[in-house]
Amino acid sequence: MTGAPARGPFRAGDRVQLTGPKGKLTTLSLETGGEYHTHRGVLRHDDVIGQQDGSVIASSSGDEYLALRPLLNDYVMSMPRGAAIVYPKDAAQIVAFADVFPGARVVEAGVGSGALSLWLLRAIGAEGTLHSFERRSEFADIARGNVATFLGGDPDNWTVTVGDLVEELAQHVDAGSVDRVVLDMLAPWECVDDAADALVPGGLIVCYVATVTQLSRVCEAIRDTGRYTEPEPSETLVRTWHVDGLAVRPDHRMVGHTGFLVTARRLADGVVLPDHRRRRKPEFADEDVELWTPGAVGERATSDKKLRKVARQAAAQARKVAAADGPRADEAPADDR
C-alpha cells in the first residue's frame, strides 16, 4: 500500500473534488448512476466517470465544475477527525526539518486523527517503517480508518500501539535503532530521554507544541538531558497573495500560528556538548504549564460519544475502500468544505 495518486480517467469509486460557482469546493465519491444535487441543478456522476483529471463538467443548469482528484493536502483537511490535526504547513516543515527520507525508521507519538501519519508514510516510502503510539484507543481507531481509506488498506510498514510512549517504546523498538522521533503531544518533555534511548547517534527528535509555555518546557528538558544538540524552535506562518494584473497585494486572511516545532540531534554516547556559557533562566513549576493546558484556556474537549461516532465513520469508509475493485488513492463519504 503506497498511497500513490491515481492516474488516468475517473472511475467509479474514485474521490473527486469539484470546484463550482464562486469557487465552492465539494468532495465526493463517484458512483455509477449517482447524482450531486445543488439548488442550481444536478451534476451526474456518470458525466464525470471516464473524464480525465482536470476536466470541466456541466450540470443540468449549465453551471460548470472543475473536476480534480483531491491531493493529500485536501484529504487531511476534510477527513473525519477526533483530535486536532497537524496542518499541512506544519507537516511539511516536520518532514523537511526532520529530514524524513525514504527508508527511514520513524517513531511517532500522538497519532491523533492520522494526518501526520499519512505525511510520514508517504515520506518514508515502502522501505521505511513507522511506529505510532497513541494513549487513547478512540483516536487510534480514527487514525487507522483514515489511513486505510487514503491508502486503500492498512500499510504493512505501519504499526499503531495504544499506550504511553514512555511505557511502551522499549518493548516495541530496539535501543539505538530509530532515525527520527516525532512527538505531537501535550507533554513531550516527559519522553525526550526515552526518545534518546531509541535514536541512533545523529538521529533527530522533533516536538510539536501549541503554547509558549510548552515550548519553553520542552526546550529546557532537551537541554537537561545532555544527550542532544541545542534545540532549535520555530513556527511557520503562511500568507497567500492576490495577484490580478498590477493589482498585487497580500490576502486579508492568512494561516497564522498553529504550533511551534522544536528540533534537536542526538549526540553520541559520552559526548558532552561544548559549553556556550548560556545564562540560566528562572525555572518554572508544573502549575505554570497547567495554566496553558487546553482545558485551562477554554478549549472544548471532544466527547467520548463524538469520538466513537467518528471512529465508526472512519472504519466504515475504510471498509468501503477495501471492498472496491482495486486499491484507491483515497475515498470517503461526500462532504462540503
Side-chain angles (χ1 to χ4, degrees):
M1 304 291 180
T2 63
R7 297 185 177 92
F10 287 109
R11 303 173 296 172
D14 280 350
R15 192 166 163 86
V16 61
Q17 180 175 271
L18 301 174
T19 305
K22 299 183 180 180
K24 180 183 179 182
L25 296 178
T26 300
T27 306
L28 50 85
S29 297
L30 294 174
E31 300 177 1
T32 302
E35 294 180 336
Y36 169 57
H37 290 259
T38 75
H39 68 286
R40 295 176 58 89
V42 178
L43 186 144
R44 299 171 59 248
H45 290 202
D46 290 344
D47 291 340
V48 182
I49 296 172
Q51 298 294 323
Q52 291 291 338
D53 202 350
S55 296
V56 174
I57 315 296
S59 70
S60 60
S61 64
D63 287 339
E64 294 184 330
Y65 292 80
L66 173 64
L68 290 165
R69 284 190 173 90
L71 305 174
L72 176 53
N73 173 43
D74 302 311
Y75 176 74
V76 300
M77 294 301 292
S78 61
M79 68 187 189
R81 66 177 72 171
I85 65 168
V86 174
Y87 280 84
K89 73 180 182 69
D90 295 319
Q93 298 295 85
I94 289 172
V95 170
F97 286 136
D99 193 33
V100 181
F101 56 90
R105 298 159 296 183
V106 180
V107 165
E108 172 198 20
V111 69
S113 299
L116 182 57
S117 302
L118 281 165
W119 291 106
L120 293 173
L121 285 166
R122 173 169 284 183
I124 64 177
E127 301 303 317
T129 57
L130 176 62
H131 295 270
S132 298
F133 295 83
E134 172 56 54
R135 290 179 176 178
R136 301 191 62 172
S137 59
E138 301 95 333
F139 290 167
D141 290 340
I142 294 169
R144 289 190 188 101
N146 286 333
V147 170
T149 295
F150 186 79
L151 299 182
D154 297 322
D156 298 331
N157 60 342
W158 184 46
T159 60
V160 181
T161 300
V162 177
D164 193 302
L165 179 76
V166 173
E167 300 173 357
E168 301 286 344
L169 184 59
Q171 301 179 35
H172 295 83
V173 174
D174 293 333
S177 67
V178 174
D179 298 304
R180 305 289 185 261
V181 173
V182 182
L183 303 179
D184 173 20
M185 54 175 57
L186 186 63
W189 50 85
E190 297 175 353
C191 304
V192 293
D193 254 323
D194 296 273
D197 292 338
L199 282 168
V200 300
L204 189 144
I205 184 173
V206 54
C207 303
Y208 181 66
V209 295
T211 70
V212 292
T213 312
Q214 291 172 301
L215 176 66
S216 173
R217 183 74 176 264
V218 72
C219 284
E220 295 304 328
I222 288 173
R223 291 182 179 122
D224 289 343
T225 66
R227 306 174 72 182
Y228 295 96
T229 60
E230 181 68 10
E232 298 182 7
S234 66
E235 70 171 334
T236 302
L237 311 177
V238 175
R239 183 173 69 175
T240 57
W241 280 67
H242 169 87
V243 179
D244 187 2
L246 293 179
V248 180
R249 56 168 174 76
D251 284 331
H252 298 304
R253 299 180 64 185
M254 66 179 291
V255 183
H257 173 78
T258 49
F260 298 104
L261 296 182
V262 181
T263 61
R265 302 287 298 277
R266 167 74 154 87
L267 297 173
D269 290 333
V271 170
V272 178
L273 197 65
D275 183 9
H276 296 295
R277 301 185 182 279
R278 187 178 65 89
R279 191 172 71 177
R280 192 73 173 181
K281 301 297 183 182
E283 297 290 342
F284 49 80
D286 288 343
E287 50 267 28
D288 296 318
V289 177
E290 183 64 27
L291 293 174
W292 290 94
T293 58
V297 298
E299 181 177 322
R300 294 182 60 187
T302 306
S303 68
D304 291 341
K305 181 179 179 180
K306 174 65 179 298
L307 289 176
R308 290 193 294 270
K309 179 180 178 181
V310 175
R312 290 195 298 269
Q313 181 183 0
Q317 68 181 26
R319 289 193 297 270
K320 185 177 179 182
V321 169
D325 181 20
R328 304 293 184 202
D330 48 23
E331 183 165 347
D335 55 78
D336 291 344
R337 297 201 296 113

